[in-house]
Amino acid sequence: MTRAEAPSPGFCSTVIGGRWLSFPVSPEPFPWCCCCRHRRHRLLCGNMVCFRLSPVPGSGLVLLCLVLGAVSSYALELNLTDSEKATCLYAKWQMNFTICYETTSKNFTTVNISDLGNATYSGSICGDYQNTSKIAVQFESGFSWVVNFTKEVSTYSIDSISFTYDTRDNTIFPDAKDKGLFTVYDTVAFGIPLNDIFRCNSISTLEKKCVTQHYWDVHVQAFVQNGTVSTKEFLCDKDKTSTTVVPTTVPSPTTTLTPKEKPEIGSYSVNNGNGTCLLATMGLQLNITQDKVASVININPNTTDFTGSCHSHTALLRLNSSNIKCLDFVFAVENENRFYLKEVNVSMYLVNGSVFSIANNSLTYWDAPLGSSYMCNKEQTVSVSGAFQINTFDLRVQPFNVVEGKYSTAEECSGDSDLNFLIPVAVGVALGFLIIVVFISYMIGRRKSRTGYQSV
């Protein structure tokens, strides 16, 4: 949807077809950086909301499309046109941010900014007759993000990225010690051939001054020639790696993997300024299918780090290890009286060196009343997508209203409830069978006794 328009003012919404916060920091900064891509190149089953914004000076219509659906943050798509309504800058990408800050109680906590649903695009410029171009995004209250492009004779560069946030917003930064606007600025200077569109589906992370910026599924072309977005892609190094590395052994699509042994049970927790705010105990087994290659991976809690954050209506548990860049479990409150698992994001390295990333933010697992915990001792499967499922074992989780660092009364899953119901039934049946056996034995013994007294 690069040239779609909507009546101004207002917005249009439609359904589209198709199928992606502190994260572990990648040691390799990249001009478009991220962790936990929520979706791949195409969009799958989401809602696209298109906002027609007021024209930017020196350019034509700015169209910002936010893709809603199975994502943990919104996918932004910009088609910036010049005064002749010819495309001069095109970009489609996803991003979110993790910010750590010090509270008045001298503790450090983190917030995750992923809801860009109220974003505006004021200040974006084409740079038609200049050597500079810019994408500017504003969201939340006092948040802004800017990427600058520069043009040379045969190339253009992603020159710099800056991000500004406002700790005076007490809703997002409760009890922040230092109040005010803060900006992090990163020089990138990454060159791209002038008539190519830059693509980076893979995930990287850019971190500076306690701010981690996450970008993924990036498609951008500045200084578009003749109003036509190029079909020739210039890939980032990570995408080149993931598309050229071939597994040494490729199982047949019909190959059945031998199930792994039950994973070790791990205990995880998240703390905020007031103590423990999230508890989770579970064994995790990941089932991944990529390019017809299936694999099963057990999470080892002894080599897994964990962190997260807690808010009034959302909570996050994030796991990471040497091969798992991030595995996120995002919980949400429903109707002010229940919680559930709303979202799972994963980004990890496979044995062949490629990056596997997928997410879904429309899940409805692990539902329980607020003030209680959710428990399921039986093996349970969380189906994130057709290519990614998580098997859980001996699960217990409480993402809200944790008191004194202990689990509250548990709401059991249907599997456990059925088992608890069957146990007394089985005992009752066994006792009934035993009574029948005793009764039959008694009747046989009594009959033999009478027979012994008969005269010959």
Side-chain angles (χ1 to χ4, degrees):
M1 190 190 68
T2 60
R3 302 305 299 269
E5 296 186 2
S8 178
F11 65 92
C12 64
S13 62
T14 183
V15 178
I16 62 173
R19 174 191 87 84
W20 227 248
L21 58 236
S22 76
F23 286 116
V25 178
S26 169
E28 38 202 311
F30 199 73
W32 294 85
C33 315
C34 88
C35 182
C36 284
R37 173 181 60 183
H38 290 239
R39 77 178 89 180
R40 301 180 70 82
H41 175 66
R42 296 180 302 158
L43 303 173
L44 297 177
C45 305
N47 293 328
M48 179 170 284
V49 180
C50 313
F51 296 85
R52 182 187 181 108
L53 306 179
S54 58
V56 177
S59 66
L61 172 69
V62 177
L63 182 66
L64 170 63
C65 299
L66 305 178
V67 181
L68 318 177
V71 295
S72 101
S73 74
Y74 292 90
L76 289 82
E77 183 173 3
L78 167 68
N79 184 48
L80 190 61
T81 60
D82 58 23
S83 57
E84 298 178 355
K85 295 188 177 180
T87 298
C88 56
L89 189 155
Y90 176 78
K92 181 173 70 174
W93 77 104
Q94 299 193 64
M95 64 181 180
N96 52 38
F97 309 89
T98 299
I99 306 166
C100 67
Y101 68 97
E102 186 178 6
T103 65
T104 53
S105 57
K106 297 184 179 181
N107 293 316
F108 283 88
T109 188
T110 59
V111 295
N112 302 297
I113 309 299
S114 60
D115 186 351
L116 310 183
N118 296 320
T120 59
Y121 244 164
S122 176
S124 299
I125 59 174
C126 282
D128 296 335
Y129 306 106
Q130 309 169 41
N131 290 327
T132 60
S133 182
K134 179 170 67 175
I135 297 175
V137 184
Q138 302 83 35
F139 50 93
E140 294 291 351
S141 56
F143 288 79
S144 63
W145 179 84
V146 176
V147 56
N148 291 290
F149 304 89
T150 57
K151 185 173 74 169
E152 302 296 337
V153 176
S154 59
T155 63
Y156 67 95
S157 297
I158 303 171
D159 187 62
S160 63
I161 297 174
S162 63
F163 172 61
T164 301
Y165 59 98
D166 190 353
T167 58
R168 292 172 298 187
D169 189 328
N170 294 322
T171 303
I172 299 175
F173 299 98
D175 301 322
K177 177 183 176 182
D178 299 318
K179 301 288 187 178
L181 287 171
F182 296 87
T183 299
V184 291
Y185 180 88
D186 292 276
T187 301
V188 179
F190 181 82
I192 304 161
L194 189 57
N195 199 35
D196 288 6
I197 184 170
F198 174 73
R199 190 201 83 185
C200 195
N201 289 335
S202 298
I203 297 168
S204 310
T205 300
L206 186 65
E207 184 181 54
K208 192 171 185 179
K209 295 181 179 178
C210 214
V211 175
T212 307
Q213 304 182 48
H214 316 288
Y215 309 88
W216 62 96
D217 286 349
V218 175
H219 298 74
V220 62
Q221 183 179 358
F223 310 102
V224 175
Q225 305 295 295
N226 302 318
T228 303
V229 177
S230 177
T231 57
K232 184 179 179 182
E233 295 181 331
F234 184 84
L235 304 183
C236 64
D237 290 339
K238 289 187 177 181
D239 276 18
K240 291 176 184 177
T241 300
S242 63
T243 55
T244 57
V245 174
V246 179
T248 55
T249 303
V250 180
S252 165
T254 58
T255 299
T256 301
L257 293 177
T258 303
K260 279 200 169 188
E261 61 183 10
K262 181 178 176 180
E264 187 175 345
I265 308 302
S267 296
Y268 312 98
S269 62
V270 175
N271 296 320
N272 58 14
N274 299 319
T276 302
C277 57
L278 183 152
L279 291 171
T281 304
M282 53 190 170
L284 296 172
Q285 186 177 81
L286 311 183
N287 295 271
I288 299 169
T289 303
Q290 188 177 51
D291 299 328
K292 299 181 180 180
V293 179
S295 56
V296 178
I297 300 172
N298 283 348
I299 299 294
N300 182 356
N302 299 316
T303 59
T304 301
D305 296 323
F306 55 90
T307 184
S309 60
C310 300
H311 304 284
S312 59
H313 287 80
T314 59
L316 166 70
L317 171 64
R318 178 177 298 120
L319 310 181
N320 70 280
S321 62
S322 58
N323 65 315
I324 298 177
K325 302 176 74 174
C326 55
L327 175 59
D328 284 1
F329 297 88
V330 181
F331 301 87
V333 173
E334 183 178 31
N335 298 327
E336 302 295 334
N337 59 6
R338 300 189 72 86
F339 72 83
Y340 67 102
L341 177 66
K342 183 180 187 295
E343 179 179 345
V344 170
N345 310 316
V346 66
S347 177
M348 62 184 297
Y349 296 104
L350 301 182
V351 291
N352 62 10
S354 64
V355 176
F356 178 84
S357 299
I358 213 162
N360 189 338
N361 80 335
S362 57
L363 303 176
T364 55
Y365 293 98
W366 306 352
D367 177 84
L370 277 178
S372 68
S373 59
Y374 175 86
M375 183 170 69
C376 195
N377 292 317
K378 290 189 65 177
E379 179 180 350
Q380 193 177 32
T381 299
V382 175
S383 182
V384 181
S385 73
F388 182 57
Q389 299 85 37
I390 303 175
N391 295 335
T392 62
F393 301 81
D394 297 325
L395 167 71
R396 190 167 187 181
V397 63
Q398 184 170 346
F400 300 98
N401 300 349
V402 176
V403 179
E404 296 181 350
K406 298 178 182 179
Y407 285 110
S408 301
T409 304
E411 170 123 334
E412 298 182 71
C413 64
S414 57
D416 286 0
S417 299
D418 292 342
L419 181 62
N420 292 339
F421 173 75
L422 289 176
I423 290 175
V425 171
V427 172
V429 170
L431 287 175
F433 179 76
L434 181 62
I435 292 173
I436 293 174
V437 171
V438 171
F439 178 75
I440 293 175
S441 300
Y442 169 76
M443 294 302 295
I444 293 175
R446 183 179 180 186
R447 185 172 183 180
K448 288 183 177 181
S449 175
R450 288 181 177 180
T451 303
Y453 287 101
Q454 291 181 356
S455 58
V456 178

